[in-house]
Amino acid sequence: SSVGLRISIQICQVSSGWQLAATDVCRSATAFSTDYSFNAPYDGQITGIKLVHKSGGVNCDYAIGPDANWGCQFYCLFMTQLIKEEAGGNSVVYPTSNTEAVSQLSEGTCANGNGCTVSWYSEQYTVDSPEIILMDTTSSYTVSVGDVFSVQNSEGCCEASTGDNRGTACSDVYFYYQNCDEFSITQLPT
């Protein structure tokens, strides 16, 4: 009798953990940001992003509150999101409805079709936290080096409700690559 084996090996370009995707990526409170798009640094599966504030601030109602790193200071509302830019329309990658540290995720539609409609609250972070981590360990997101991403502020990206907005904020972006060290041997019946 003979024994059959099935061998499965997955080769990774990158080890699991945080990988710098882009530096000084800016987003506007008043318009869709087009000058700060970036590509994924490696092909693979990500389960989250980390944004580290570098400079500037955004505001959704400058008459009643100061600028903030990630959204509206007065309302404690986050408007920051990672989107994938595609010719057929953009889509939000993070946050998702299962993102840790995110509560009351609100999704809608943009009249301009930009696909960046998310706002949210967090009990873990403030809109002035020096960094935010958005992890969704319930599902991974496949990225490739050809994919184009940007960080957007929802009202600016949608170009809606911007009459009382102001500011631009910049951050470094990290992707959390899922562990892909996989090696298995299965003995097949003969």
Side-chain angles (χ1 to χ4, degrees):
S1 113
S2 64
V3 176
L5 293 177
R6 176 179 295 147
I7 298 174
S8 171
I9 299 172
Q10 183 175 1
I11 308 254
C12 300
Q13 289 185 318
V14 62
S15 59
S16 64
W18 293 113
Q19 299 293 328
L20 180 64
T23 59
D24 296 313
V25 175
C26 300
R27 63 197 179 285
S28 169
T30 59
F32 181 80
S33 299
T34 58
D35 296 334
Y36 300 98
S37 300
F38 61 94
N39 297 87
Y42 304 100
D43 295 338
Q45 301 285 321
I46 63 171
T47 54
I49 62 169
K50 175 170 53 173
L51 303 173
V52 179
H53 179 75
K54 296 292 288 281
S55 63
V58 290
N59 197 314
C60 71
D61 192 343
Y62 59 79
I64 59 173
D67 294 354
N69 294 346
W70 311 111
C72 290
Q73 184 70 267
F74 183 77
Y75 302 108
C76 300
L77 179 67
F78 289 79
M79 295 184 156
T80 302
Q81 59 207 280
L82 177 74
I83 66 166
K84 181 178 180 183
E85 298 180 10
E86 298 179 280
N90 304 323
S91 58
V92 175
V93 178
Y94 291 102
T96 67
S97 59
N98 295 317
T99 300
E100 299 164 14
V102 170
S103 62
Q104 299 178 17
L105 181 74
S106 174
E107 299 179 76
T109 58
C110 286
N112 66 4
N114 277 341
C116 39
T117 59
V118 173
S119 60
W120 48 282
Y121 293 93
S122 176
E123 294 175 12
Q124 185 173 344
Y125 300 108
T126 72
V127 292
D128 266 334
S129 292
E131 71 178 36
I132 55 175
I133 295 174
L134 303 176
M135 295 290 289
D136 180 353
T137 56
T138 64
S139 62
S140 59
Y141 188 85
T142 302
V143 297
S144 70
V145 295
D147 292 339
V148 179
F149 298 93
S150 62
V151 178
Q152 299 288 339
N153 196 71
S154 56
E155 287 183 345
C157 182
C158 285
E159 297 171 338
S161 301
T162 59
D164 57 354
N165 291 8
R166 73 169 174 216
T168 299
C170 305
S171 57
D172 289 344
V173 181
Y174 294 81
F175 285 1
Y176 190 87
Y177 281 84
Q178 174 178 316
N179 186 2
C180 60
D181 300 330
E182 181 180 305
F183 180 82
S184 63
I185 299 176
T186 307
Q187 184 173 340
L188 302 174
T190 56

